DNA sequence: GTCTATATTCCGATAGAC
DNA sequence: GTCTATCGGAATATAGAC
């Protein structure tokens, strides 16, 4: 992997493991095997690096949405779950949750990138919930957008809470969401 | 208010506004009108201050639980909502959500205090959900503990997401949770 | 593109006077 | 209990050699 990609990848890991304000250029430099000044060559400021992380994740999620556009709503739900499963396995939190708590300390360019990223996820989930309801696979009574916020919020929060409480609760929450959606 | 209390109060505000790793003793000293060394007199280390913040919130929530022990489950639910309503009004996030994302950077004493705090809330919510189900006021099919995690997670996440998306979603989410619980 | 060297700022923490 | 003064360290960032 090219150094530039590796830097973004490690920054991503650190943001979701320790938070944006808790990792340093030195943390990354150490792991890549270069000096901090070399990171500044690729990303003049920490803000530039932060924006690059979000844009990388946005590209990833956009490609995944596109690739699985023809899947069933239930399959899409499980793809959605699998994202958080990986995060939880690594004892991390999701990018949105991590950066939302640091939001007031972030430069506007990161704030805007994050808003765009979260909107992409929200629209995706809203879409396959609507789809599932139309096909009588999913059942829920509130607006699809609100149901999407509830479900996204459940996953966003359970990866955070998994650090504080019983590890097994993650799967129980996942199953409860699924059962609730499929119940007629 | 005594300086010591004021320091804890401001630290609490900062943690929920900007995050634990983004506020400094100087931020607080400035607002109190003292020097940073005076804060160290009351709280030798930042960790001591962090623990004091959680213990203050724990005392507050414990008193509130006790005070409203005789309320109906529906009243308790609305008290629960009102906590997050205040947080959202201030454009802050809850203490658990904020410190959970910074969890890996916190000293063990703060981690343990936070675990105790989150468990207190979880047990409280689980309790009045069970109560409400027994009285046929609330309706849900999963375990009360899991339902509590889902609802707490919805509120924890919506105060975070309120910074990124439509401000009005907070009330929609609150109403959706309520309707879901009350539906027969 | 990476290095050395350094500038600058900030932060947590401590010693000792008052 | 608050102050001044200061230490030691860490962080972002830049200049210039290679």
């Amino acid at each position: 992997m090219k150094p530039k990609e590796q830097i973004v990848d490690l920054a991503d890991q650190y943001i979701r493991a320790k938070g944006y304000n808790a990792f340093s250029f030195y943390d990354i430099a150490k792991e890549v095997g270069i000096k901090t000044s070399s990171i500044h060559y690729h990303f003049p400021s920490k803000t530039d690096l932060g924006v690059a992380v979000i844009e990388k994740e946005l590209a990833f999620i956009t490609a995944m949405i596109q690739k699985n556009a023809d899947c069933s709503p239930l399959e899409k739900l499980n793809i959605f779950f699998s994202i958080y499963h990986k995060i939880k396995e690594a004892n991390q939190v999701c990018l949105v949750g991590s950066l939302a708590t640091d939001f007031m300390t972030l430069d506007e360019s990161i704030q805007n990138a994050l808003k765009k990223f979260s909107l992409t996820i929200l629209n995706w989930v809203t879409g396959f919930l609507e789809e599932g309801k139309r096909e009588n696979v999913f059942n829920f009574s509130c607006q699809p957008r609100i149901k999407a916020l509830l479900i996204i919020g459940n996953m966003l929060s359970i990866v955070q809470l998994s650090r504080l409480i019983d590890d097994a609760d993650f799967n129980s929450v996942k199953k409860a969401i699924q059962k609730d959606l499929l119940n007629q």
Side-chain angles (χ1 to χ4, degrees), chain A:
Chain A
M1 202 189 305
K2 286 178 186 169
K4 189 167 181 173
E5 295 172 36
Q6 198 183 350
I7 291 165
V8 175
D9 217 61
L10 283 167
D12 191 8
Q13 301 287 325
Y14 274 117
I15 289 172
R16 290 185 287 110
K18 312 200 309 177
Y20 182 82
N21 293 312
F23 85 92
S24 70
F25 277 40
Y26 181 70
D27 291 328
I28 295 176
K30 227 179 3 181
E31 285 200 51
V32 180
I34 56 176
K35 301 295 174 181
T36 58
S37 53
S38 300
I39 300 179
H40 280 286
Y41 169 80
H42 297 287
F43 305 99
S45 72
K46 192 176 182 179
T47 292
D48 294 320
L49 178 53
V51 170
V53 167
I54 301 173
E55 283 178 349
K56 186 206 72 172
E57 289 285 351
L58 179 61
F60 177 79
I61 208 92
T62 302
M64 178 149 76
I65 292 171
Q66 199 124 37
K67 185 187 153 201
N68 299 294
D70 293 333
C71 289
S72 72
L74 189 57
E75 282 168 333
K76 285 175 184 169
L77 179 68
N78 279 310
I79 291 168
F80 170 77
F81 282 147
S82 72
I83 297 172
Y84 294 90
H85 184 77
K86 275 182 198 162
I87 292 171
K88 188 254 168 187
E89 287 289 285
N91 200 22
Q92 294 182 336
V93 298
C94 72
L95 198 61
V96 173
S98 177
L99 292 176
T101 63
D102 295 333
F103 196 73
M104 299 309 186
T105 72
L106 305 174
D107 282 349
E108 210 181 329
S109 56
I110 303 191
Q111 292 185 342
N112 290 335
L114 187 63
K115 284 179 183 177
K116 189 178 170 188
F117 180 65
S118 60
L119 203 61
T120 301
I121 297 176
L122 178 57
N123 286 338
W124 177 50
V125 176
T126 302
F128 72 68
L129 286 178
E130 276 175 334
E131 204 182 337
K133 191 173 188 180
R134 217 180 314 125
E135 297 175 11
N136 279 318
V137 183
F138 294 156
N139 189 271
F140 55 91
S141 57
C142 64
Q143 296 164 357
R145 177 198 162 85
I146 301 303
K147 191 67 183 176
L149 278 172
L150 289 168
I151 293 175
I152 292 169
N154 281 327
M155 300 308 290
L156 179 153
S157 58
I158 196 61
V159 291
Q160 293 183 8
L161 293 174
S162 282
R163 291 171 163 181
L164 307 177
I165 49 170
D166 192 345
D167 222 41
D169 286 324
F170 180 86
N171 267 320
S172 305
V173 161
K174 198 181 76 174
K175 283 180 185 171
I177 296 170
Q178 203 152 7
K179 195 186 166 200
D180 166 67
L181 267 180
L182 294 173
N183 250 0
Q184 298 298 335

